[in-house]
Amino acid sequence: MSGELFGPRLLPDGGVEFRLWAPAARQVDLVIAEPRPMTPAEDGWFKLAVSDAGPGTRYRFRIDGEQLVPDPASRYQPEDVDGPSEVVAQDFDWKASDWRGHPWGEAVFLELHLGAFSKEGTYQGAMAHLDHLVETGITAIELMPLADFAGSRNWGYDGVLLYAPDSSYGRPEDLKALIDAAHQRGLMVFLDVVYNHFGPKGNYLHQYAPDFFSRDHQTPWGGAIDYRVPQVRSFAIENALYWLREFRFDGLRLDAVHAIRELGSPSVLESLSHAVGRFARQSGRHIHLVLENDDNAATLLNPAEDIPDGRYRAQWNDDYHHAWHVLLSGEQVGYYEDYATAPQGFLERCLSGGFAYQGEVSAHRGGELRGEPTDALPSTAFVNFLQNHDQIGNRPFGERLEALAPPEAIEAALAITLLLPMIPLLFMGEEWGARQPFPFFCDFSGDLAQAVEEGRRREFAPIYKSLPPGKDIPSALAESTFLSTKLDWSEPNGKGKARLQLVRHLLKMRQKFIAPRLKGHPQQSKDVRIKDGVAAGTWILGDGSRLHLRANLTGRETVAPSWPSGATAIWPVQESGQADPSARLSPWSVVWLLEAV
């Protein structure tokens, strides 16, 4: 048996070995056409080698002569989560066979949902827009989760079969073709993976492997996944390696790791990073691991290592988003209350230190201390953004920032975000100022659908009460809600053309002046100040160059803070390249200067 424990294994001489970890089952049968008893093995495993099975074979497992279930490590579910699993061929004719990826400092992300990104909502549909991303200056696309979910549409965070890319987007080989096409164009491809919970429909693990879940800790989705159990830990680590090896993803973004309650010792996060590091050494590829972590645990991060070795390259920086959002929109409810008292001050700290919360009290979290000091971390440990799927979709109507703030303010924020030494991320369509909403959507039915609707009505009760007659919050279950999220690809050459030109110009400047100087992992700035809406800051880049920011984040003209002597203006581009020390800053204007070594 290979080192992999979960999922069907194609045998060298033909046939397939099927395996299932079912420690609570008395008997397990493999069902292809007829039930075939599987052989009990050690530690709750059942297995059976079938000589006449191969790619294309559809199968299920029958538990104790009654319940039919899919393979929890199914590679493909052609008939949705409750249907049979399909054995998938592992061979693929990779065209970009010598692809090794990019160093971390070259990353510029665009996050996308496959169903909403193109008219077709498929892997093939996404391929048609890869050239647009390259021309824009994007170097990495991040796919929202693909793990098989119930129904035909979903954000992806209700996945239950973590190894099976959902059939609504195409077959596994279509996903490989998309990744291969991206690599041929120099684009990295990342995948968002969810190891903190399973979705509410199609997960049968409780019936035959209850040890997957903790009896001590509960989550909104039921018992917490228990990574103290060796088989459960292997399930997640093998899954991470599977996406990196089988599909050649360049990295993973681990969703909401603060919600993992039973990490085990050493933690599953540490073990997963070590395993990925070993694979990266063997493959010779650049592989990057990124966290979403509301705990702001700086000790989990280390972008300076070229290969993962127990820690993670970077973390999505929600603090950066929240500070900007309050500053631009004026909203102060929900988690924005933690930033409402002094949004400029919180933004100042994000610009200088990465996280705004580094051990301070969070009122939104009931007075808990949040975060760890970031003094030891370079700027590249933080992925900054003004929008992402969560921050748009957590709103009842799913409005983008374009509907909440004036365009000149958004463009100033973009000019700062895209030229900072932190790693930038855009949400699909943001590059041209798309206004399509991105509310939560799913395709559940019955009692579960009713529970979703009732839960959203409770969550947004104050908003429901304030709605005018005849207006309602979009139903997460309605197909029309999903269809409203689809991008309009006529906009980049129409009403979104000017914004797209701005973003492309900014990213061209990043590629020319910033990214080449991040290789030495720049240190954070300790010299950022925002006073009365005027920002001034300096960052020391990896090669020793100094990057300077001067920005007016108000609607009135103001005198610019003094320029450093000898600095060259890189934004906005000037013919002479020299900064005017007597210049005034117009409303919502941004100036970047570089002292190269």
Side-chain angles (χ1 to χ4, degrees):
M1 183 179 291
S2 71
E4 300 169 21
L5 298 175
F6 291 89
R9 183 167 68 96
L10 297 172
L11 299 173
D13 298 326
V16 179
E17 183 182 62
F18 297 90
R19 294 163 286 178
L20 180 69
W21 185 60
R26 299 183 304 274
Q27 175 187 342
V28 177
D29 298 315
L30 173 71
V31 180
I32 296 178
E34 299 292 334
R36 312 182 194 194
M38 299 182 73
T39 303
E42 68 283 350
D43 297 328
W45 285 94
F46 291 80
K47 61 183 181 179
L48 180 67
V50 180
S51 60
D52 59 350
T57 297
R58 295 188 181 184
Y59 67 99
R60 300 188 210 194
F61 298 115
R62 188 173 68 176
I63 307 299
D64 293 334
E66 298 177 354
Q67 179 71 56
L68 286 171
V69 300
D71 189 339
S74 167
R75 272 38 176 179
Y76 185 55
Q77 290 292 119
E79 301 175 38
D80 209 359
V81 294
D82 297 318
S85 304
E86 181 179 316
V87 179
V88 175
Q90 295 178 341
D91 57 321
F92 184 81
D93 183 18
W94 294 96
K95 300 296 190 297
S97 57
D98 58 348
W99 172 258
R100 292 295 178 268
H102 292 298
W104 178 240
E106 296 178 13
V108 176
F109 282 96
L110 184 123
E111 184 195 21
L112 65 90
H113 183 281
L114 273 164
F117 184 62
S118 69
K119 178 181 178 181
E120 300 82 358
T122 62
Y123 304 122
Q124 292 289 336
M127 288 174 63
H129 302 298
L130 294 179
D131 289 336
H132 158 84
L133 300 182
V134 174
E135 292 164 4
T136 299
I138 302 299
T139 64
I141 57 177
E142 181 175 311
L143 306 181
M144 289 175 65
L146 302 177
D148 201 86
F149 49 77
S152 62
R153 56 188 180 272
N154 194 283
W155 266 27
Y157 297 91
D158 291 318
V160 291
L161 298 173
L162 304 193
Y163 289 74
D166 196 273
S167 61
S168 61
Y169 306 130
R171 291 189 56 85
E173 52 266 32
D174 297 325
L175 173 56
K176 292 180 180 179
L178 170 62
I179 295 170
D180 198 29
H183 289 169
Q184 291 178 72
R185 290 163 172 79
L187 284 167
M188 296 188 289
V189 187
F190 285 62
L191 179 64
D192 196 341
V193 291
V194 183
Y195 297 137
N196 61 75
H197 75 280
F198 290 93
K201 187 180 188 309
N203 174 26
Y204 296 93
L205 286 165
H206 292 88
Q207 297 184 19
Y208 57 83
D211 289 349
F212 237 91
F213 304 96
S214 170
R215 296 171 178 83
D216 302 324
H217 291 98
Q218 293 294 310
T219 74
W221 306 276
I225 300 173
D226 194 347
Y227 289 112
R228 298 172 300 180
V229 179
Q231 293 86 349
V232 179
R233 176 174 293 236
S234 294
F235 186 85
I237 293 173
E238 284 185 26
N239 181 259
L241 294 171
Y242 162 76
W243 292 116
L244 298 170
R245 180 187 63 250
E246 184 67 21
F247 291 91
R248 301 196 180 185
F249 279 100
D250 299 281
L252 303 172
R253 179 257 194 193
L254 276 64
D255 175 69
V257 299
H258 57 270
I260 300 176
R261 300 303 182 196
E262 298 287 12
L263 287 161
S265 183
S267 80
V268 66
L269 297 177
E270 181 180 349
S271 297
L272 188 151
S273 174
H274 281 305
V276 170
R278 289 191 292 271
F279 173 72
R281 291 185 184 91
Q282 294 165 4
S283 65
R285 290 161 47 192
H286 291 289
I287 293 179
H288 311 292
L289 298 176
V290 181
L291 295 177
E292 180 193 25
N293 188 1
D294 191 61
D295 292 339
N296 281 4
T299 48
L300 291 176
L301 308 177
N302 184 4
E305 292 184 349
D306 290 334
I307 295 175
D309 192 19
R311 287 188 280 181
Y312 289 74
R313 193 77 76 214
Q315 179 184 310
W316 274 25
N317 192 0
D318 281 342
D319 285 352
Y320 182 84
H321 167 273
H322 296 349
W324 267 116
H325 190 89
V326 173
L327 184 65
L328 295 175
S329 73
E331 292 185 345
Q332 300 182 4
V333 299
Y335 41 64
Y336 296 128
E337 69 175 310
D338 274 352
Y339 307 83
T341 55
Q344 291 186 15
F346 283 108
L347 178 59
E348 177 183 293
R349 194 172 200 200
C350 289
L351 293 172
S352 62
F355 297 144
Y357 280 85
Q358 301 182 27
E360 290 77 20
V361 171
S362 164
H364 177 68
R365 293 162 184 80
E368 294 181 0
L369 300 180
R370 175 175 177 243
E372 297 174 350
T374 64
D375 293 346
L377 292 177
S379 298
T380 46
F382 308 95
V383 177
N384 284 352
F385 44 85
L386 300 173
Q387 303 186 69
N388 65 32
H389 75 274
D390 261 335
Q391 310 309 337
I392 302 171
N394 285 343
R395 308 176 62 81
F397 293 97
E399 310 101 315
R400 291 175 181 249
L401 190 58
E402 294 294 329
L404 306 171
E408 61 272 19
I410 295 174
E411 290 173 1
L414 282 169
I416 292 176
T417 302
L418 297 183
L419 292 181
L420 280 169
M422 293 79 166
I423 303 299
L425 177 143
L426 298 167
F427 186 67
M428 59 178 188
E430 185 180 355
E431 68 271 30
W432 69 75
R435 283 180 170 264
Q436 285 80 24
F438 194 73
F440 175 72
F441 54 84
C442 59
D443 186 22
F444 298 142
S445 59
D447 292 344
L448 179 57
Q450 183 176 349
V452 169
E453 292 286 65
E454 291 176 352
R456 287 176 65 79
R457 287 194 172 272
R458 286 193 300 272
E459 180 181 1
F460 301 127
I463 296 172
Y464 274 106
K465 293 178 181 178
S466 65
L467 290 175
K471 186 170 184 180
D472 201 357
I473 291 175
S475 168
L477 302 166
E479 184 180 23
S480 58
T481 299
F482 163 63
L483 293 176
S484 73
T485 69
K486 285 185 174 283
L487 294 180
D488 181 352
W489 282 94
S490 70
E491 291 181 352
N493 293 316
K495 60 184 180 182
K497 187 173 182 178
R499 175 68 60 80
L500 181 59
Q501 290 177 338
L502 170 69
V503 169
R504 287 182 171 180
H505 201 174
L506 283 164
L507 290 179
K508 184 177 180 180
M509 294 301 100
R510 181 181 186 87
Q511 183 181 36
K512 181 177 181 180
F513 293 109
I514 309 301
R517 293 179 165 88
L518 298 183
K519 293 180 180 179
H521 298 286
Q523 296 302 305
Q524 297 172 23
S525 171
K526 302 302 178 188
D527 185 25
V528 179
R529 296 289 181 270
I530 304 179
K531 184 177 181 180
D532 297 328
V534 179
T538 299
W539 291 262
I540 301 175
L541 302 183
D543 65 348
S545 299
R546 291 179 177 268
L547 179 68
H548 303 281
L549 169 67
R550 300 292 185 266
N552 180 5
L553 305 181
T554 73
R556 62 183 184 278
E557 185 181 76
T558 186
V559 177
S562 60
W563 308 113
S565 60
T568 300
I570 62 173
W571 184 266
V573 177
Q574 302 180 18
E575 290 186 7
S576 67
Q578 297 300 311
D580 180 359
S582 64
R584 297 182 65 82
L585 291 174
S586 58
W588 295 105
S589 61
V590 176
V591 177
W592 285 101
L593 307 105
L594 182 68
E595 287 183 276
V597 295

